[in-house]
Amino acid sequence: MDFNLDETQQDVRRLAADVLAKDADEERLRQAGLLSLCVPEEAGGAGLGPVEMAVVLREVGAKAAAVPGLPALAGTLALARHGTQERQRRHAGGIALAVREPGRALAAPPETAAREDGGGWTLTGRKVTVMYPGAAALVTAAEGLFLVEDPATAPERTSTGEPAATVVLDGAPAERVAGPEAAADVRRLHTAAVAAQASGVLAGALELTTAHIRTRRQFGRALAEFQAVTMQIADVYIAGRALDVAMWSALWRLGEGLPAEEDLALAAYHAAEAVKALHTCQHLHGGLGLDVTYPLHRYFAQAKHLSYLLGGAGAQLDLIGALV
């Protein structure tokens, strides 16, 4: 594969970086068209795919921005791949993804059950940490992928302060979108989106920490001149490069319609391990890293949150062991 971004992807990256550099909120991202990149052109979007989704989410992570880029892009991309044109138009503004279940690995088959009832469908189960819950959600179930309007929710707390909820499905009416293969694809899109944002978080934290050790002086020398410091920041750089390579490979394979499970599991493992690199960044900042008003705090909170969405590094190691 070619790891270089093409001209369109470079334009998307520059636009996202420019908009996010001005502390953009959700409305500004929508005005710039960044949240509708994956909506099909027939439904009013740009009709782009997984790699372009990752380009935007990596910039969101690089600024540790608390904006609904991940659910908006992954949700609309899921509908673009599996939904009808009517559903794509109806939810062109975004739709939440309900993928995770309590006490179960992300890659495990869903326990949420669907039942055909009088020509329609009902769902029973629980989905946790559904980010930015709204008027509708795409729900993975054993019988396939379903769309639920106005789901019952219970609010959750997140380390980033972003809105999240448990979706409670007790015989909830649902529309069947597609079969079990679509549910598995949506789980892969969700994993890829989380890994892409984590890649940006690690890159942003590395840039912030590098600037700090280059200018902060101790005993008459910049911190970066101490060998123990350079070895630690090198470890952060290596962690970021390992995540980048696995993430871009997985996203490219998803975009090309190729099997991507192994690359995704590797990317998810490195994304979950990014928390360790953030601990190193905190250490290199000394007491400044404890200040919740300093930007590093946002990167640390994002890394913890994204690792949690993936189930942690141990869960990904188990998955890699099962795949090889």
Side-chain angles (χ1 to χ4, degrees):
M1 66 163 289
D2 184 356
F3 282 91
N4 295 312
L5 299 179
D6 64 25
E7 189 175 339
T8 299
Q9 292 158 357
Q10 289 181 37
D11 288 342
V12 169
R13 186 188 62 77
R14 280 192 289 268
L15 176 62
D18 289 345
V19 173
L20 288 162
K22 299 168 185 169
D23 295 327
D25 56 10
E26 177 182 352
E27 186 57 31
R28 290 189 180 178
L29 291 174
R30 289 196 183 282
Q31 289 172 356
L34 289 168
L35 298 187
S36 58
L37 282 181
C38 299
V39 176
E41 292 182 33
E42 299 79 10
L48 299 177
V51 174
E52 290 78 11
M53 172 188 74
V55 168
V56 175
L57 291 179
R58 197 174 187 280
E59 293 304 318
V60 170
K63 295 296 180 189
V67 294
L70 194 155
L73 289 166
T76 52
L77 180 58
L79 272 183
R81 288 162 74 101
H82 304 291
T84 61
Q85 280 194 13
E86 188 276 328
R87 287 178 180 134
Q88 292 164 2
R89 290 195 184 94
R90 197 193 331 160
H91 298 288
I95 185 169
L97 287 183
V99 178
R100 300 185 68 245
E101 295 185 339
R104 291 180 65 77
L106 184 59
E111 281 194 334
T112 298
R115 179 182 173 190
E116 200 163 9
D117 187 7
W121 290 83
T122 59
L123 290 180
T124 299
R126 297 286 186 276
K127 295 292 185 180
V128 294
T129 323
V130 177
M131 296 303 298
Y132 292 89
L138 279 176
V139 181
T140 56
E143 292 77 9
L145 181 65
F146 292 82
L147 194 155
V148 178
E149 302 275 4
D150 298 319
T153 59
E156 294 183 30
R157 292 181 182 274
T158 63
S159 61
T160 63
E162 293 173 277
T166 295
V167 170
V168 182
L169 303 161
D170 290 329
E175 302 172 27
R176 191 168 191 264
V177 175
E181 73 287 348
D185 186 55
V186 168
R187 189 258 305 162
R188 288 191 286 269
L189 289 176
H190 172 78
T191 302
V194 173
Q197 187 159 326
S199 165
V201 167
L202 190 46
L206 174 63
E207 183 179 350
L208 187 68
T209 307
T210 302
H212 174 74
I213 63 174
R214 189 181 294 138
T215 54
R216 179 78 170 180
R217 300 182 72 82
Q218 289 286 335
F219 307 110
R221 300 163 61 190
L223 287 179
E225 296 178 30
F226 292 90
Q227 186 179 26
V229 172
T230 57
M231 290 170 66
Q232 291 183 70
I233 200 68
D235 286 342
V236 176
Y237 173 79
I238 291 168
R241 292 298 296 154
L243 172 54
D244 277 345
V245 170
M247 184 272 290
W248 287 122
S249 176
L251 266 296
W252 176 77
R253 296 184 72 83
L254 277 178
E256 295 294 316
L258 298 171
E261 287 286 358
E262 293 181 8
D263 295 64
L264 273 175
L266 192 59
Y269 168 72
H270 285 297
E273 283 286 278
V275 177
K276 290 182 181 176
L278 264 294
H279 274 287
T280 301
C281 292
Q282 288 275 22
H283 176 72
L284 292 176
H285 272 85
L288 192 57
L290 297 175
D291 185 350
V292 296
T293 65
Y294 186 70
L296 187 62
H297 177 72
R298 298 202 317 271
Y299 291 99
F300 191 78
Q302 286 257 345
K304 283 186 67 176
H305 174 61
L306 295 169
S307 175
Y308 173 73
L309 290 180
L310 295 169
Q316 298 305 323
L317 274 183
D318 283 345
L319 178 58
I320 291 169
L323 290 171
V324 298

